[in-house]
Amino acid sequence: MIRHRTSAAAAFAGAVTFLLAGSTLLAAAPAYAHGAPTDPVSRVAACGLASEGLAGTPACRAAVAANGGQPLGSWDNLRVAGVNGRDRQVIPDGKLCSGGIAAYAGLDLSRSDWPATKLAPGAPFTLTYRSSIPHEGTFSLYLTRQGYSPDAPLTWDDLAPEPFLTVKDPALRNGAYRIPARLPEGRTGRHVLYTVWRNTSTPDTYYSCSDVVLPGGSTDRAEAATTPPARAAVPPPPKAPTKAPERAPKPAAASPSASPSAAPSSPSPAPASAAAESANTAPVADTGSPLTPTTAALAGAAALAVAALGTVLLRRRRTATAGRPHRRHRR
């Protein structure tokens, strides 16, 4: 019994010692920050972050195929330790988007159909860099030179020697760094916004490629110059001119049925309807005249009635007179 208690006490003391040692190791280990740009969307976020809904695009599928069919590394973990500002020496040309990490090699594919964000050259925008743990560090933003071709591997020479914006220790709010910036002028077409985040509280440097489209290139100007004249030269729809001639012959076809007196008096293109209107309104216009055809007809009918009555009375008088005895006239 005593032996069992001694063994149990020893085991408990060992467990406590292990936990204390483990907590000391965890406290000493650095908390690594993770993240990537989501606006303008980076290639790693587009292909690895489900909320972006871009993993099924042809470019992202090709990136997975380039990885031997294996999924890309975690969208927020594209980082290289121990660079110490020697980016151009550590990250080789053609592997800027992957940071030279094999798990992200598909992001270096030379394609012109990567998911892209449309921006305006020389205009302000906000870089949204999603992250989970706040850390100190410096963000440096680069933009490819004019003449960059997405069909060729991205090299350091495609970028300007110096970043167009550098921001130190921005605040992490609502799970993202939001960095106001303004794009350089003199860029048109498809470009790559290259973001380098050099941590100072960790030994890591994060790299990301965000594809952007800047309108106003030579192709856009050519389309703007040729499209308006082409649209102006298009003739009007054929229906408009064909309907007008169809309406014009209708009055001419209906004019023979109208009376000669009604046609010149009415300005309407339909003489038959004008004549009917004239016939309907004529009695109203002649009501005040004592010599209207209606009055003359009534007067003639009355005269005939009076004459007929006189004839009847005359006949009755003659009949009555013929029935009486003839009286001789006394002298």
Side-chain angles (χ1 to χ4, degrees):
M1 178 68 82
I2 296 175
R3 292 180 61 184
H4 286 294
R5 289 182 179 179
T6 305
S7 301
F12 178 77
V16 171
T17 303
F18 175 78
L19 291 175
L20 291 176
S23 63
T24 303
L25 291 174
L26 290 175
Y32 293 107
H34 303 293
T38 56
D39 187 16
V41 64
S42 58
R43 295 181 184 180
V44 66
C47 299
L49 190 57
S51 61
E52 295 299 322
L54 299 171
T57 58
C60 288
R61 292 201 304 267
V64 173
N67 278 13
Q70 298 297 321
L72 298 173
S74 177
W75 70 272
D76 60 349
N77 201 31
L78 203 167
R79 56 191 173 88
V80 180
V83 177
N84 297 324
R86 299 177 296 108
D87 308 286
R88 296 176 183 262
Q89 291 76 32
V90 175
I91 309 301
D93 285 337
K95 298 183 178 180
L96 274 64
C97 297
S98 68
I101 304 173
Y104 300 93
L107 302 178
D108 293 317
L109 293 178
S110 303
R111 300 175 63 96
S112 58
D113 60 348
W114 283 104
T117 303
K118 187 176 181 180
L119 298 176
F125 73 101
T126 299
L127 174 71
T128 301
Y129 198 103
R130 182 172 168 178
S131 184
S132 56
I133 304 173
H135 273 276
E136 297 177 351
T138 301
F139 287 89
S140 298
L141 277 62
Y142 301 81
L143 187 65
T144 49
R145 305 172 185 266
Q146 185 63 19
Y148 158 76
S149 174
D151 297 325
L154 181 66
T155 67
W156 287 106
D157 288 339
D158 291 324
L159 305 176
E162 300 296 331
F164 67 86
L165 178 68
T166 299
V167 177
K168 183 179 181 181
D169 299 337
L172 178 67
R173 294 188 176 91
N174 298 324
Y177 298 99
R178 292 174 176 84
I179 303 173
R182 181 182 293 272
L183 284 177
E185 297 182 355
R187 307 286 204 283
T188 56
R190 181 173 280 266
H191 285 270
V192 172
L193 176 66
Y194 194 63
T195 304
V196 180
W197 184 25
R198 301 178 180 93
N199 285 183
T200 55
S201 55
T202 71
D204 298 325
T205 301
Y206 290 75
Y207 302 94
S208 60
C209 290
S210 298
D211 293 86
V212 297
V213 175
L214 309 179
S218 58
T219 303
D220 297 333
R221 287 195 296 269
E223 291 179 356
T226 58
T227 301
R231 292 179 181 175
V234 176
K239 294 182 179 180
T242 55
K243 288 183 179 180
E246 289 178 359
R247 294 177 182 175
K250 290 182 180 179
S255 59
S257 62
S259 61
S261 58
S265 61
S266 175
S268 172
S273 59
E277 182 179 356
S278 176
N280 293 333
T281 57
V284 178
D286 297 337
T287 302
S289 174
L291 299 177
T292 58
T294 304
T295 307
L298 293 175
L304 291 176
V306 172
L309 180 61
T311 303
V312 172
L313 293 177
L314 181 60
R315 289 180 180 178
R316 287 183 179 181
R317 184 176 181 182
R318 288 179 180 179
T319 304
T321 304
R324 293 177 183 179
H326 180 70
R327 295 180 181 180
R328 293 181 179 180
H329 179 69
R330 294 180 180 180
R331 292 181 180 179

